[in-house]
Coordinates of all heavy atoms in Angstrom, one line a residue:
M1 N 52.4 -88.1 15.1 CA 52.2 -88.1 16.6 C 52.4 -86.8 17.2 O 53.5 -86.2 16.9 CB 53.0 -89.2 17.1 CG 52.6 -90.2 18.1 SD 51.1 -90.8 17.9 CE 51.5 -92.6 18.4
A2 N 51.6 -86.5 18.1 CA 51.8 -85.2 18.9 C 51.4 -85.7 20.3 O 50.5 -86.1 20.6 CB 51.0 -84.1 18.3
K3 N 52.3 -85.1 21.2 CA 52.2 -85.4 22.7 C 51.3 -84.1 23.1 O 51.8 -82.9 23.0 CB 53.4 -85.4 23.4 CG 53.3 -86.1 24.7 CD 54.6 -86.1 25.4 CE 55.4 -87.4 24.9 NZ 56.7 -87.8 25.6
V4 N 50.0 -84.4 23.6 CA 49.3 -83.2 24.0 C 49.0 -83.4 25.5 O 48.7 -84.6 26.1 CB 47.8 -83.4 23.3 CG1 47.0 -82.3 23.9 CG2 48.1 -83.1 21.7
T5 N 49.2 -82.3 26.2 CA 48.9 -82.4 27.8 C 47.5 -81.7 28.0 O 47.4 -80.6 27.7 CB 50.0 -81.7 28.5 OG1 51.3 -82.2 28.1 CG2 49.9 -81.6 29.9
Y6 N 46.7 -82.4 28.6 CA 45.5 -81.9 29.1 C 45.5 -81.7 30.5 O 46.0 -82.4 31.4 CB 44.3 -83.0 29.0 CG 44.0 -83.5 27.6 CD1 44.9 -84.4 26.9 CD2 43.1 -82.9 26.7 CE1 44.6 -84.8 25.5 CE2 42.8 -83.3 25.5 CZ 43.6 -84.2 24.8 OH 43.5 -84.7 23.5
V7 N 45.2 -80.4 30.9 CA 45.2 -80.0 32.3 C 44.0 -79.9 32.8 O 43.2 -79.1 32.4 CB 46.0 -78.7 32.5 CG1 46.2 -78.2 34.0 CG2 47.4 -78.8 31.8
R8 N 43.6 -80.7 33.8 CA 42.3 -80.7 34.3 C 42.1 -79.5 35.3 O 43.0 -78.8 35.8 CB 42.1 -82.0 35.3 CG 42.0 -83.3 34.5 CD 41.4 -84.4 35.2 NE 40.7 -85.2 34.3 CZ 41.0 -86.5 34.1 NH1 42.0 -87.1 34.6 NH2 40.3 -87.3 33.2
P9 N 40.9 -79.1 35.6 CA 40.6 -78.0 36.6 C 41.4 -78.0 37.9 O 41.7 -77.0 38.3 CB 39.1 -77.9 36.6 CG 38.6 -78.6 35.5 CD 39.6 -79.7 35.2
D10 N 41.6 -79.2 38.4 CA 42.3 -79.4 39.7 C 43.8 -79.4 39.5 O 44.5 -79.5 40.5 CB 41.8 -80.5 40.4 CG 42.2 -81.8 39.7 OD1 42.9 -81.8 38.7 OD2 42.0 -82.9 40.3
G11 N 44.4 -79.2 38.3 CA 45.7 -79.2 38.0 C 46.4 -80.4 37.5 O 47.5 -80.4 37.1
E12 N 45.6 -81.5 37.7 CA 46.2 -82.8 37.3 C 46.4 -82.8 35.7 O 45.6 -82.2 35.0 CB 45.1 -83.9 37.5 CG 45.7 -85.2 37.2 CD 44.6 -86.6 37.1 OE1 43.6 -86.2 37.4 OE2 45.0 -87.5 36.7
Q13 N 47.5 -83.3 35.4 CA 47.9 -83.3 34.0 C 47.7 -84.7 33.4 O 48.2 -85.7 33.8 CB 49.3 -82.9 33.8 CG 49.6 -81.4 34.3 CD 50.9 -80.9 33.8 OE1 51.8 -81.6 33.2 NE2 51.2 -79.8 34.1
V14 N 47.1 -84.8 32.2 CA 47.0 -86.1 31.5 C 47.8 -85.9 30.2 O 47.4 -84.9 29.4 CB 45.6 -86.6 31.2 CG1 45.6 -87.9 30.6 CG2 45.0 -86.5 32.6
I15 N 48.8 -86.8 29.9 CA 49.5 -86.6 28.7 C 49.1 -87.7 27.7 O 49.1 -88.9 28.1 CB 51.1 -86.6 28.9 CG1 51.5 -85.5 29.9 CG2 51.9 -86.5 27.7 CD1 52.9 -85.5 30.4
V16 N 48.8 -87.4 26.5 CA 48.3 -88.4 25.6 C 49.0 -88.2 24.4 O 49.3 -87.0 23.8 CB 46.8 -88.1 25.3 CG1 46.2 -88.9 24.1 CG2 45.9 -88.2 26.5
E17 N 49.4 -89.3 23.7 CA 50.1 -89.3 22.5 C 48.9 -89.4 21.3 O 48.2 -90.4 21.2 CB 51.0 -90.7 22.3 CG 52.1 -90.8 23.1 CD 53.4 -90.0 22.5 OE1 53.3 -89.4 21.5 OE2 54.4 -89.9 23.3
V18 N 48.8 -88.3 20.6 CA 47.7 -88.2 19.7 C 48.1 -88.5 18.2 O 49.1 -87.9 17.9 CB 47.0 -86.7 19.8 CG1 45.8 -86.7 19.0 CG2 46.7 -86.6 21.2
T19 N 47.5 -89.5 17.6 CA 47.9 -89.9 16.3 C 47.6 -88.7 15.3 O 46.5 -88.1 15.4 CB 47.1 -91.0 15.9 OG1 47.1 -92.0 16.8 CG2 47.5 -91.6 14.6
E20 N 48.5 -88.5 14.4 CA 48.3 -87.5 13.3 C 46.9 -87.7 12.6 O 46.4 -88.8 12.4 CB 49.4 -87.7 12.3 CG 49.4 -86.4 11.4 CD 50.7 -86.3 10.6 OE1 51.6 -87.1 10.9 OE2 50.7 -85.5 9.6
G21 N 46.1 -86.6 12.6 CA 44.9 -86.6 11.8 C 43.7 -86.8 12.9 O 42.6 -86.7 12.6
T22 N 44.1 -87.0 14.1 CA 43.0 -87.2 15.1 C 42.9 -85.9 15.9 O 43.9 -85.1 16.0 CB 43.5 -88.2 16.2 OG1 43.8 -89.4 15.6 CG2 42.5 -88.5 17.3
S23 N 41.7 -85.5 16.2 CA 41.5 -84.3 16.8 C 41.7 -84.3 18.3 O 41.7 -85.5 18.9 CB 40.0 -83.7 16.6 OG 39.1 -84.5 17.4
V24 N 42.0 -83.2 19.0 CA 42.4 -83.2 20.3 C 41.0 -83.7 21.1 O 41.2 -84.3 22.1 CB 42.8 -81.7 20.8 CG1 42.8 -81.5 22.3 CG2 44.1 -81.4 20.2
M25 N 39.8 -83.4 20.5 CA 38.6 -83.9 21.2 C 38.5 -85.4 21.1 O 38.3 -86.0 22.0 CB 37.4 -83.3 20.5 CG 35.9 -83.7 20.7 SD 35.5 -85.3 19.9 CE 34.8 -84.8 18.5
Q26 N 38.8 -86.0 19.9 CA 38.6 -87.4 19.9 C 39.7 -88.1 20.7 O 39.3 -89.2 21.3 CB 39.0 -87.8 18.4 CG 37.9 -87.4 17.4 CD 38.4 -87.6 15.9 OE1 39.4 -87.3 15.6 NE2 37.5 -88.1 15.1
A27 N 40.9 -87.6 20.9 CA 41.9 -88.2 21.8 C 41.5 -88.1 23.1 O 41.6 -89.0 24.0 CB 43.3 -87.4 21.6
A28 N 40.8 -87.1 23.6 CA 40.3 -86.9 24.9 C 39.2 -88.0 25.2 O 39.3 -88.6 26.2 CB 39.6 -85.5 25.2
L29 N 38.2 -88.1 24.3 CA 37.3 -89.2 24.5 C 37.9 -90.6 24.6 O 37.4 -91.3 25.4 CB 36.2 -89.1 23.4 CG 35.4 -87.9 23.3 CD1 34.4 -88.1 22.2 CD2 34.7 -87.4 24.6
A30 N 38.9 -90.9 23.8 CA 39.5 -92.1 23.8 C 40.3 -92.5 25.1 O 40.6 -93.6 25.4 CB 40.4 -92.3 22.5
N31 N 40.6 -91.5 25.8 CA 41.4 -91.5 27.0 C 40.7 -91.1 28.2 O 41.3 -90.9 29.3 CB 42.7 -90.7 26.9 CG 43.7 -91.3 25.8 OD1 44.5 -92.2 26.1 ND2 43.5 -91.0 24.5
D32 N 39.5 -91.2 28.1 CA 38.5 -91.0 29.3 C 38.8 -89.7 30.0 O 38.8 -89.6 31.3 CB 38.8 -92.2 30.4 CG 38.3 -93.5 29.8 OD1 37.3 -93.6 28.9 OD2 39.0 -94.5 30.1
I33 N 39.0 -88.6 29.3 CA 39.1 -87.3 29.8 C 37.7 -86.7 29.8 O 37.2 -86.2 28.7 CB 40.2 -86.4 29.0 CG1 41.5 -87.1 29.1 CG2 40.2 -85.1 29.5 CD1 42.6 -86.6 28.2
S34 N 37.0 -86.9 30.9 CA 35.6 -86.7 30.9 C 35.2 -85.2 30.8 O 33.9 -84.8 30.7 CB 35.0 -87.4 32.2 OG 35.6 -86.7 33.3
E35 N 36.2 -84.4 31.2 CA 35.9 -82.9 30.9 C 35.6 -82.5 29.5 O 35.0 -81.3 29.3 CB 37.0 -82.1 31.5 CG 37.3 -82.0 32.9 CD 38.1 -83.4 33.3 OE1 38.5 -84.2 32.5 OE2 38.6 -83.4 34.5
I36 N 35.9 -83.2 28.5 CA 35.5 -83.0 27.1 C 34.2 -83.9 26.9 O 34.2 -85.2 27.0 CB 36.6 -83.5 26.1 CG1 37.9 -82.6 26.4 CG2 36.0 -83.3 24.8 CD1 37.7 -81.2 26.0
V37 N 33.1 -83.2 26.6 CA 31.8 -83.9 26.3 C 31.7 -84.3 24.9 O 31.2 -85.4 24.5 CB 30.7 -83.0 27.0 CG1 29.3 -83.9 26.7 CG2 30.9 -82.9 28.5
A38 N 31.8 -83.2 24.0 CA 31.7 -83.4 22.6 C 30.3 -84.0 22.2 O 30.2 -85.0 21.3 CB 32.7 -84.2 22.1
E39 N 29.2 -83.4 22.7 CA 28.0 -83.9 22.4 C 27.7 -84.1 20.9 O 26.9 -85.1 20.5 CB 26.9 -82.9 22.9 CG 26.1 -83.3 24.1 CD 25.3 -82.3 24.8 OE1 25.1 -81.2 24.0 OE2 24.8 -82.6 25.9
C40 N 28.1 -83.2 20.0 CA 27.7 -83.2 18.5 C 28.7 -84.2 17.8 O 28.5 -84.3 16.7 CB 27.7 -81.9 18.0 SG 29.3 -81.1 17.7
G41 N 29.7 -84.7 18.5 CA 30.6 -85.6 17.7 C 31.6 -84.9 16.8 O 32.2 -85.4 15.9
G42 N 31.6 -83.5 16.9 CA 32.7 -82.8 16.1 C 32.1 -82.1 14.9 O 32.8 -81.7 14.2
T43 N 30.7 -81.8 15.0 CA 30.2 -81.2 13.8 C 29.9 -79.6 14.2 O 29.2 -79.0 13.4 CB 28.8 -81.8 13.5 OG1 28.0 -81.7 14.6 CG2 29.0 -83.2 13.1
L44 N 30.7 -79.1 15.0 CA 30.6 -77.7 15.3 C 29.1 -77.2 15.8 O 28.5 -76.3 15.4 CB 31.1 -76.8 14.1 CG 32.5 -76.5 14.1 CD1 32.9 -75.7 13.0 CD2 32.9 -75.7 15.4
A45 N 28.4 -78.1 16.5 CA 27.2 -77.8 16.9 C 26.8 -77.8 18.3 O 25.7 -77.8 18.8 CB 26.2 -78.7 16.2
C46 N 27.9 -77.9 19.1 CA 27.5 -78.0 20.7 C 28.3 -77.1 21.5 O 28.0 -76.7 22.5 CB 27.7 -79.5 21.0 SG 29.5 -80.1 21.2
A47 N 29.8 -76.9 21.2 CA 30.6 -76.2 22.1 C 31.0 -76.8 23.4 O 31.4 -76.2 24.3 CB 30.2 -74.7 22.4
T48 N 30.7 -78.2 23.4 CA 31.0 -78.9 24.7 C 32.3 -79.6 24.6 O 32.6 -80.5 25.4 CB 30.0 -79.9 25.1 OG1 29.7 -80.8 24.0 CG2 28.6 -79.2 25.3
C49 N 33.1 -79.1 23.8 CA 34.5 -79.6 23.7 C 35.4 -78.5 23.9 O 36.6 -78.5 23.4 CB 34.8 -80.3 22.2 SG 34.6 -79.1 20.8
H50 N 35.0 -77.5 24.5 CA 35.8 -76.2 24.7 C 37.0 -76.5 25.6 O 37.1 -77.3 26.6 CB 34.8 -75.3 25.6 CG 35.4 -74.0 26.0 ND1 35.0 -73.3 27.0 CD2 36.4 -73.2 25.5 CE1 35.7 -72.1 27.1 NE2 36.5 -72.1 26.1
V51 N 38.1 -75.9 25.1 CA 39.3 -76.0 25.8 C 40.0 -74.6 25.8 O 39.8 -73.8 24.9 CB 40.4 -76.9 25.3 CG1 39.9 -78.4 25.3 CG2 40.8 -76.5 23.8
Y52 N 41.0 -74.4 26.8 CA 41.7 -73.2 26.8 C 43.2 -73.7 26.3 O 43.8 -74.3 27.1 CB 41.8 -72.4 28.1 CG 40.5 -72.0 28.7 CD1 39.9 -72.6 29.8 CD2 39.7 -71.0 28.2 CE1 38.7 -72.3 30.4 CE2 38.6 -70.6 28.6 CZ 38.1 -71.2 29.7 OH 36.8 -70.8 30.2
V53 N 43.6 -73.1 25.2 CA 45.0 -73.4 24.7 C 45.9 -72.6 25.4 O 45.7 -71.4 25.7 CB 45.0 -73.1 23.1 CG1 46.5 -73.4 22.6 CG2 44.0 -74.0 22.4
D54 N 47.1 -73.2 25.9 CA 48.1 -72.4 26.5 C 48.5 -71.3 25.7 O 48.7 -71.5 24.4 CB 49.2 -73.4 26.7 CG 50.3 -72.7 27.6 OD1 51.1 -71.7 27.1 OD2 50.5 -73.2 28.8
P55 N 48.5 -70.0 26.1 CA 48.9 -68.9 25.2 C 50.1 -69.1 24.5 O 50.2 -68.6 23.5 CB 48.9 -67.7 26.3 CG 48.0 -68.2 27.5 CD 48.2 -69.7 27.6
D56 N 51.0 -69.9 25.0 CA 52.3 -70.0 24.4 C 52.2 -70.8 23.0 O 53.0 -70.8 22.2 CB 53.4 -70.6 25.2 CG 53.8 -69.7 26.3 OD1 53.7 -68.4 26.2 OD2 54.5 -70.1 27.3
D57 N 51.1 -71.5 23.1 CA 50.9 -72.5 21.9 C 50.0 -71.9 20.9 O 49.6 -72.5 19.8 CB 50.2 -73.8 22.4 CG 51.2 -74.6 23.2 OD1 52.5 -74.4 23.0 OD2 50.9 -75.4 24.1
L58 N 49.3 -70.8 21.1 CA 48.2 -70.3 20.2 C 48.7 -70.1 18.8 O 48.0 -70.3 17.8 CB 47.6 -68.9 20.8 CG 46.5 -69.1 21.7 CD1 46.1 -67.7 22.2 CD2 45.3 -69.9 21.2
G59 N 50.0 -69.6 18.7 CA 50.6 -69.3 17.4 C 50.8 -70.5 16.5 O 51.0 -70.5 15.4
R60 N 50.8 -71.8 17.2 CA 50.9 -72.9 16.4 C 49.7 -73.5 15.8 O 49.7 -74.3 15.0 CB 51.5 -74.1 17.4 CG 52.9 -73.6 17.8 CD 53.7 -74.9 18.2 NE 53.4 -75.2 19.6 CZ 53.6 -76.6 20.0 NH1 53.9 -77.4 19.2 NH2 53.3 -76.8 21.3
L61 N 48.6 -72.9 16.2 CA 47.4 -73.4 15.6 C 46.8 -72.5 14.5 O 47.1 -71.3 14.4 CB 46.2 -73.3 16.8 CG 46.4 -74.1 18.0 CD1 45.2 -74.0 19.0 CD2 46.7 -75.6 17.7
S62 N 46.1 -73.1 13.6 CA 45.4 -72.3 12.6 C 44.4 -71.5 13.2 O 43.9 -71.8 14.3 CB 44.9 -73.3 11.5 OG 44.1 -74.3 12.0
T63 N 44.0 -70.4 12.5 CA 43.0 -69.5 13.1 C 41.6 -70.2 13.0 O 41.4 -70.9 12.2 CB 43.0 -68.1 12.4 OG1 42.8 -68.4 11.0 CG2 44.3 -67.4 12.6
P64 N 40.8 -69.9 13.9 CA 39.5 -70.5 14.0 C 38.7 -70.1 12.7 O 38.7 -69.0 12.2 CB 38.7 -70.0 15.2 CG 39.9 -69.2 15.9 CD 40.8 -69.0 15.1
S65 N 37.9 -71.1 12.2 CA 37.0 -70.8 11.1 C 35.9 -69.9 11.7 O 35.7 -69.8 12.8 CB 36.5 -72.1 10.6 OG 35.6 -72.6 11.6
T66 N 35.1 -69.4 10.7 CA 34.0 -68.6 11.1 C 33.0 -69.2 11.9 O 32.4 -68.8 12.9 CB 33.3 -68.0 9.8 OG1 34.3 -67.3 9.1 CG2 32.2 -66.9 10.2
D67 N 32.8 -70.5 11.5 CA 31.7 -71.3 12.1 C 32.3 -71.6 13.6 O 31.5 -71.7 14.6 CB 31.7 -72.8 11.5 CG 30.8 -72.5 10.3 OD1 30.1 -71.4 10.1 OD2 30.7 -73.5 9.5
E68 N 33.5 -71.8 13.8 CA 34.1 -72.1 15.2 C 33.9 -70.8 16.0 O 33.5 -70.8 17.2 CB 35.5 -72.5 15.0 CG 36.0 -72.9 16.5 CD 37.6 -73.3 16.6 OE1 38.2 -73.6 15.5 OE2 38.0 -73.4 17.6
E69 N 34.3 -69.7 15.4 CA 34.2 -68.4 16.0 C 32.9 -68.2 16.5 O 32.6 -67.8 17.7 CB 34.5 -67.3 15.1 CG 35.9 -67.0 14.9 CD 36.7 -66.4 16.1 OE1 36.0 -66.0 17.1 OE2 37.8 -66.3 16.1
E70 N 31.8 -68.4 15.7 CA 30.4 -68.2 16.2 C 30.0 -69.3 17.3 O 29.5 -68.9 18.4 CB 29.5 -68.5 15.0 CG 29.5 -67.3 14.0 CD 28.7 -67.6 12.8 OE1 27.8 -68.5 12.8 OE2 28.8 -66.8 11.9
M71 N 30.5 -70.5 17.3 CA 30.2 -71.5 18.1 C 30.9 -71.2 19.6 O 30.3 -71.6 20.6 CB 30.4 -72.8 17.7 CG 29.8 -74.0 18.5 SD 28.0 -73.8 18.8 CE 27.4 -74.0 17.1
L72 N 32.0 -70.6 19.4 CA 32.7 -70.2 20.8 C 31.8 -69.3 21.6 O 32.2 -69.1 22.8 CB 34.0 -69.5 20.5 CG 35.1 -70.7 20.1 CD1 36.4 -70.0 19.4 CD2 35.6 -71.4 21.4
D73 N 30.9 -68.6 21.0 CA 30.1 -67.7 21.8 C 29.1 -68.4 22.7 O 28.5 -68.0 23.6 CB 29.2 -66.8 21.0 CG 30.0 -65.7 20.3 OD1 31.2 -65.5 20.8 OD2 29.7 -65.1 19.3
Y74 N 29.0 -69.8 22.6 CA 28.1 -70.6 23.4 C 28.7 -71.6 24.3 O 28.2 -72.5 24.9 CB 27.2 -71.5 22.4 CG 26.4 -70.6 21.5 CD1 26.8 -70.3 20.2 CD2 25.2 -70.0 21.8 CE1 26.1 -69.4 19.4 CE2 24.4 -69.1 21.1 CZ 25.0 -68.8 19.8 OH 24.2 -68.0 19.0
T75 N 30.0 -71.3 24.7 CA 30.6 -72.0 25.7 C 30.1 -71.9 27.0 O 29.6 -70.8 27.3 CB 32.2 -71.8 25.7 OG1 32.4 -70.4 26.0 CG2 32.9 -72.2 24.5
A76 N 29.8 -73.0 28.0 CA 29.3 -72.9 29.2 C 30.3 -72.0 30.2 O 29.8 -71.2 31.0 CB 29.0 -74.1 29.8
S77 N 31.6 -72.4 30.1 CA 32.6 -71.6 30.8 C 33.0 -70.5 29.9 O 33.0 -70.5 28.7 CB 33.9 -72.5 31.1 OG 33.5 -73.6 32.0
P78 N 33.4 -69.4 30.7 CA 33.6 -68.1 30.0 C 34.6 -68.2 28.8 O 35.5 -68.8 28.9 CB 34.1 -67.1 31.0 CG 33.7 -67.8 32.4 CD 33.6 -69.2 32.1
R79 N 34.2 -67.6 27.7 CA 35.1 -67.7 26.5 C 36.3 -66.7 26.8 O 36.1 -65.6 27.3 CB 34.4 -67.1 25.2 CG 35.3 -67.0 24.2 CD 34.4 -66.5 22.9 NE 35.4 -66.5 21.8 CZ 35.1 -66.3 20.4 NH1 33.8 -66.0 20.2 NH2 35.9 -66.3 19.5
Q80 N 37.4 -67.1 26.5 CA 38.7 -66.2 26.7 C 39.4 -66.2 25.4 O 39.1 -66.9 24.4 CB 39.6 -66.9 27.8 CG 38.9 -66.9 29.2 CD 39.7 -67.5 30.2 OE1 40.9 -67.8 30.1 NE2 39.0 -67.7 31.4
P81 N 40.3 -65.2 25.3 CA 41.0 -65.0 24.1 C 41.6 -66.4 23.5 O 41.9 -66.6 22.3 CB 42.1 -64.0 24.3 CG 41.5 -63.3 25.3 CD 40.8 -64.2 26.2
N82 N 42.1 -67.3 24.4 CA 42.7 -68.6 24.1 C 41.7 -69.7 24.0 O 42.1 -70.9 23.9 CB 43.8 -68.9 25.0 CG 43.3 -69.0 26.5 OD1 42.3 -68.4 26.9 ND2 44.2 -69.7 27.3
S83 N 40.4 -69.4 23.9 CA 39.4 -70.4 23.9 C 39.5 -71.1 22.6 O 39.4 -70.4 21.5 CB 37.9 -70.0 24.2 OG 37.9 -69.6 25.6
R84 N 39.2 -72.4 22.3 CA 39.1 -73.1 21.1 C 38.2 -74.3 21.3 O 38.0 -74.7 22.5 CB 40.5 -73.6 20.7 CG 41.4 -72.5 20.1 CD 40.9 -71.6 18.9 NE 40.6 -72.4 17.8 CZ 41.5 -72.5 16.8 NH1 42.7 -72.0 16.9 NH2 41.3 -73.3 15.7
L85 N 37.7 -74.8 20.2 CA 36.9 -76.1 20.3 C 37.8 -77.1 19.9 O 38.4 -77.1 18.8 CB 35.7 -75.9 19.4 CG 34.7 -74.8 19.9 CD1 33.4 -74.8 18.8 CD2 34.1 -75.0 21.2
S86 N 38.1 -78.1 20.8 CA 39.0 -79.0 20.5 C 38.7 -80.1 19.4 O 39.6 -80.7 18.9 CB 39.2 -80.0 21.8 OG 38.0 -80.6 22.3
C87 N 37.5 -80.1 19.0 CA 37.2 -81.0 17.8 C 37.8 -80.3 16.4 O 37.8 -80.9 15.4 CB 35.6 -81.1 17.6 SG 34.7 -79.7 17.2
Q88 N 38.1 -79.1 16.6 CA 38.7 -78.3 15.4 C 40.3 -78.3 15.5 O 40.8 -77.5 14.5 CB 38.1 -76.9 15.4 CG 36.6 -77.0 15.2 CD 36.0 -77.7 13.9 OE1 36.5 -77.4 12.9 NE2 35.2 -78.8 14.3
I89 N 40.8 -78.9 16.5 CA 42.3 -78.9 16.4 C 42.7 -80.3 16.2 O 42.5 -81.3 16.9 CB 42.8 -78.7 18.0 CG1 42.2 -77.2 18.4 CG2 44.4 -78.5 18.0 CD1 42.5 -76.9 19.9
T90 N 43.4 -80.5 15.0 CA 43.9 -81.7 14.5 C 45.4 -82.0 14.8 O 46.2 -81.0 14.3 CB 43.4 -81.9 13.1 OG1 42.1 -81.6 12.8 CG2 43.8 -83.3 12.5
A91 N 45.6 -83.0 15.3 CA 47.0 -83.3 15.7 C 48.0 -83.6 14.5 O 47.5 -84.1 13.5 CB 47.2 -84.5 16.7
G92 N 49.1 -83.1 14.6 CA 50.1 -83.2 13.6 C 51.4 -83.0 14.3 O 51.5 -82.5 15.4
P93 N 52.6 -83.3 13.7 CA 53.8 -83.1 14.3 C 54.0 -81.7 14.9 O 54.8 -81.4 15.8 CB 55.0 -83.4 13.2 CG 54.1 -84.0 12.1 CD 52.7 -83.8 12.3
E94 N 53.5 -80.7 14.1 CA 53.7 -79.4 14.6 C 53.1 -79.0 15.9 O 53.2 -78.0 16.5 CB 53.1 -78.4 13.4 CG 51.7 -78.1 13.3 CD 51.0 -79.4 12.6 OE1 51.8 -80.4 12.2 OE2 49.8 -79.4 12.4
L95 N 52.2 -79.8 16.5 CA 51.5 -79.6 17.6 C 52.0 -80.5 18.8 O 51.5 -80.4 19.8 CB 50.0 -79.9 17.4 CG 49.2 -78.9 16.6 CD1 47.7 -79.2 16.8 CD2 49.5 -77.4 16.9
D96 N 53.2 -81.1 18.5 CA 53.8 -81.9 19.6 C 54.1 -80.8 20.8 O 54.6 -79.9 20.7 CB 55.2 -82.6 19.1 CG 55.6 -83.5 20.1 OD1 54.9 -84.2 20.7 OD2 56.9 -83.5 20.3
G97 N 53.6 -81.3 22.0 CA 53.8 -80.5 23.2 C 52.8 -79.6 23.5 O 52.9 -78.8 24.4
L98 N 51.6 -79.6 22.7 CA 50.5 -78.7 22.9 C 49.9 -78.9 24.4 O 49.9 -80.1 24.8 CB 49.5 -79.0 21.8 CG 48.3 -78.3 22.0 CD1 48.4 -76.8 21.6 CD2 47.1 -78.9 21.2
V99 N 49.6 -77.8 25.0 CA 48.9 -77.8 26.3 C 47.6 -77.3 26.2 O 47.5 -76.1 25.7 CB 49.8 -77.1 27.3 CG1 49.2 -77.2 28.8 CG2 51.2 -77.7 27.4
V100 N 46.6 -78.0 26.6 CA 45.2 -77.4 26.6 C 44.7 -77.6 28.1 O 44.9 -78.6 28.8 CB 44.3 -78.1 25.7 CG1 44.7 -77.8 24.2 CG2 44.1 -79.5 25.9
R101 N 44.1 -76.5 28.7 CA 43.5 -76.5 29.8 C 41.9 -76.8 29.7 O 41.3 -76.3 28.9 CB 43.6 -75.2 30.6 CG 45.0 -75.0 30.9 CD 45.5 -73.7 31.6 NE 46.9 -73.5 31.4 CZ 47.9 -74.2 31.9 NH1 47.6 -75.0 32.8 NH2 49.2 -74.0 31.6
L102 N 41.3 -77.6 30.6 CA 40.0 -78.1 30.5 C 39.2 -77.1 31.4 O 39.5 -76.9 32.5 CB 39.8 -79.5 30.9 CG 40.8 -80.4 30.2 CD1 40.9 -81.8 30.8 CD2 40.2 -80.6 28.7
P103 N 38.0 -76.7 30.9 CA 37.3 -75.7 31.6 C 36.5 -76.6 32.8 O 36.4 -77.7 32.6 CB 36.2 -75.1 30.7 CG 36.2 -76.2 29.6 CD 37.5 -76.9 29.5
P104 N 36.0 -75.8 33.8 CA 35.3 -76.4 35.0 C 34.1 -77.1 34.5 O 33.7 -77.9 35.2 CB 35.2 -75.4 36.0 CG 35.3 -74.0 35.2 CD 36.3 -74.3 34.0
T105 N 33.3 -76.5 33.5 CA 32.1 -77.2 33.2 C 31.9 -76.9 31.6 O 32.4 -76.0 31.0 CB 30.9 -76.6 33.9 OG1 29.8 -77.2 33.5 CG2 30.7 -75.1 33.7
Q106 N 31.2 -77.9 31.0 CA 30.8 -77.7 29.5 C 29.4 -77.4 29.4 O 28.9 -77.5 28.2 CB 31.2 -79.0 28.8 CG 32.7 -79.4 28.8 CD 33.6 -78.5 27.8 OE1 33.0 -77.5 27.2 NE2 34.8 -78.8 27.7
Y107 N 28.6 -77.4 30.5 CA 27.1 -77.2 30.4 C 26.6 -75.9 31.2 O 27.3 -75.6 32.1 CB 26.3 -78.3 31.1 CG 26.6 -79.7 30.5 CD1 27.3 -80.7 31.0 CD2 25.9 -79.9 29.2 CE1 27.4 -81.9 30.3 CE2 25.9 -81.2 28.6 CZ 26.9 -82.1 29.1 OH 26.9 -83.4 28.4
Ligands
FES1 S1 32.3 -81.6 19.6 FE1 30.6 -80.2 19.3 S2 31.6 -78.4 18.7 FE2 33.2 -79.7 19.1

């Protein structure tokens, strides 16, 4: 289990207990966090699951794969050094307390 905080563009925080093995994208969909669209269902083909990971948490994530790196060039909101695709972040105990900010748009 990992407690993940989603920060909406207006600053509202939604805290979700994410089951180990579940992606941050899947947990967002299951909890009606509509800022995550996830059109492709997690197959690295859409970039509509874009999040900004809190810079303090970046070191806890594995580095993005080459495919994720390429897809990050297609985010609707500007890509930043802390941009990640939430379908590629899988919860585990090491991610407890993770904070991700949701971009203003995914289209
Ligand atoms: S859900 Fe499509 S790339 Fe993440």
